[in-house]
Amino acid sequence: MTTTLDGSAAGPASDPAPPARTYDVGASDEVAERGRLVVTLGGGPDAVTVGVFRFGGRLYAYENRCAHQGGPACQGRIVSRVRERLDDQQRSLGTVFDETTMHIVCPWHGFEYDVTTGRHPGRPDFALRGVSVDEEGGRIRVTV
């Protein structure tokens, strides 16, 4: 039984989170610019699948679980953000792809996420869970 700061009893203490583990997931050249690598780490019920992306020369990694309904977001289509062009009177001139922003699109329901933030562009309360990623000596490592 755990005691709270006000002295009242709280339920049984929860198990501490398992210690983080670092995994070598592949060679640096396996993730080209605007590309990805999806890997499953560990085994059994503790296995986690992670997507690693390269954009703007930098790596980003996320758990492969859509914040919307749990789909495999990191395995979805990679697209540039679509923006609407407006004239001086704010009238639409059509849409264009914005090559400065890369999105991944969950294949289940089309939820999009900005690769650099993991957040849905219109619903920032929906975000992928970020994973620590590092690149050294030509190898990519993630820590979960």
Side-chain angles (χ1 to χ4, degrees):
M1 185 71 68
T2 303
T3 304
T4 64
L5 291 176
D6 67 4
S8 62
S14 62
D15 292 332
R21 287 192 56 193
T22 299
Y23 297 87
D24 182 313
V25 297
S28 294
D29 62 5
E30 289 183 61
V31 184
E33 179 66 19
R34 298 183 71 88
R36 85 173 129 222
L37 175 67
V38 178
V39 295
T40 299
L41 309 170
D46 296 329
V48 62
T49 302
V50 171
V52 178
F53 301 86
R54 188 181 304 277
F55 183 66
R58 188 165 170 219
L59 291 177
Y60 302 89
Y62 300 98
E63 184 176 332
N64 188 28
R65 182 172 168 78
C66 182
H68 175 233
Q69 288 191 352
C74 295
Q75 291 171 248
R77 195 174 284 257
I78 298 173
V79 298
S80 296
R81 181 176 181 177
V82 176
R83 291 196 186 270
E84 186 170 22
R85 294 181 314 131
L86 301 174
D87 67 13
D88 293 339
Q89 286 76 43
Q90 301 300 305
R91 292 179 298 213
S92 178
L93 298 173
T95 57
V96 294
F97 285 107
D98 179 353
E99 297 294 330
T100 66
T101 306
M102 186 171 104
H103 286 182
I104 50 176
V105 183
C106 180
W108 280 12
H109 301 108
F111 252 59
E112 293 187 26
Y113 298 94
D114 182 321
V115 168
T116 64
T117 65
R119 296 199 175 286
H120 184 281
R123 296 279 313 267
D125 54 321
F126 281 89
L128 299 174
R129 186 175 83 76
V131 173
S132 176
V133 61
D134 188 31
E135 186 172 27
E136 184 179 323
R139 302 298 297 173
I140 299 171
R141 293 176 183 80
V142 296
T143 302
V144 293

